[in-house]
Amino acid sequence: MSKVAIITGASSGIGAATAELFHAEGYKVVLAGRNKDRLTAAASNLHDAITWAGDLTSSKACNELIEFTLSHYGRVDVLINCAGVIHRYTAEETTDEHWENTMAVNLNAPFFLSRSAIPHMKTSGGVILNIASDWGLQGGQLAAAYCASKGGLVLMTKAMALDHAKENIRVNAICPGDVDTPMLKVESEQRGMDYQTAMIQNNADSPTGRITLPAEVAALCLYLASDAAAQITGTAIPIDGGNTA
């Protein structure tokens, strides 16, 4: 029987690349996000993939996504929390709305979804992967709320891994640096830079001379979801070209 993977933020970037790779490897995939049309487009070449659109900052919506998946496939094997947002401001410049939005998307949604999924993973085991950031491992400038949310996500990952290890549920965080995604373009605009200039700078700042590709993060997700990673849980793995070395 095919395993079932739910991937949030699946309409673009890391989420879309991950959905594509898991589908190619034989998983039944559920692409989740806010924008129905963009999800439909992302799933258009993935035969029998299904989509779910809604606001995952709501615990009710997270419960509905899990129930939607169970109604179609009867199981949840892998949950990958890819959806994320960034507001590039100092603490002084960060508004209440910036702070609340960052925490809601980057921390609350993964918690609500994990809480909903875990009871359904206890029978046959499961994997939860949280896409955090290398700025969840170290500080970054103009990103007070983002760093706080991703640091919280890393420690939430570790705590859940300990709580559920004996239930054969593994929980890990993946910590990318800059990745060539639409969110990086938005971030560049927030910094007052055109995307081309920002890309040149980001590539130059990386020890490897380039930023990470979404497909490379997807490949790490696939490994961590596999039986080959059976002893890996409670980790926060950088994939950042050496930025945190």
Side-chain angles (χ1 to χ4, degrees):
M1 179 182 293
S2 297
K3 289 187 175 182
V4 177
I6 300 172
I7 301 146
T8 74
S11 63
S12 65
I14 294 170
T18 302
E20 183 177 345
L21 180 59
F22 272 66
H23 179 270
E25 292 294 322
Y27 281 78
K28 300 293 186 183
V29 295
V30 181
L31 288 77
R34 291 178 183 268
N35 189 300
K36 182 177 180 180
D37 292 340
R38 288 172 58 193
L39 287 168
T40 300
S44 61
N45 294 321
L46 308 181
H47 172 68
D48 77 7
I50 60 175
T51 63
W52 181 94
D55 181 2
L56 292 172
T57 65
S58 156
S59 62
K60 181 175 182 291
C62 290
N63 293 337
E64 290 172 355
L65 172 55
I66 299 301
E67 291 303 321
F68 171 82
T69 302
L70 292 170
S71 70
H72 279 80
Y73 296 127
R75 59 191 292 165
V76 178
D77 299 287
V78 180
L79 169 64
I80 306 176
N81 291 303
C82 286
V85 67
I86 190 168
H87 299 287
R88 293 298 306 269
Y89 302 108
T90 66
E92 181 183 17
E93 296 163 342
T94 299
T95 66
D96 290 356
E97 290 76 16
H98 292 146
W99 179 268
E100 290 163 5
N101 176 243
T102 303
M103 295 302 160
V105 174
N106 293 355
L107 189 56
N108 293 0
F111 171 75
F112 293 147
L113 269 175
S114 299
R115 184 178 65 183
S116 295
I118 284 168
H120 305 286
M121 292 180 166
K122 289 183 177 181
T123 301
S124 56
V127 174
I128 298 173
L129 300 176
N130 294 317
I131 305 302
S133 170
D134 60 354
W135 280 2
L137 304 174
Q138 62 182 20
Q141 290 181 303
L142 302 176
Y146 183 79
C147 291
S149 68
K150 294 300 188 177
L153 185 59
V154 166
L155 284 182
M156 185 182 81
T157 296
K158 291 176 177 290
M160 290 196 305
L162 292 173
D163 286 340
H164 301 290
K166 287 185 170 60
E167 296 164 346
N168 196 27
I169 298 172
R170 296 188 293 107
V171 191
N172 288 292
I174 293 172
C175 300
D178 289 328
V179 182
D180 190 4
T181 66
M183 193 172 87
L184 189 61
K185 184 175 182 180
V186 171
E187 182 183 354
S188 302
E189 292 168 355
Q190 291 175 354
R191 295 166 62 197
M193 301 174 69
D194 70 84
Y195 190 50
Q196 227 25 53
T197 301
M199 283 289 286
I200 292 170
Q201 179 178 314
N202 292 335
N203 286 329
D205 288 345
S206 172
T208 61
R210 68 170 179 86
I211 64 173
T212 304
L213 302 176
E216 293 172 318
V217 182
L220 180 54
C221 288
L222 184 66
Y223 170 70
L224 289 173
S226 74
D227 291 341
Q231 278 292 92
I232 302 177
T233 193
T235 62
I237 301 177
I239 177 167
D240 62 358
N243 283 338
T244 51

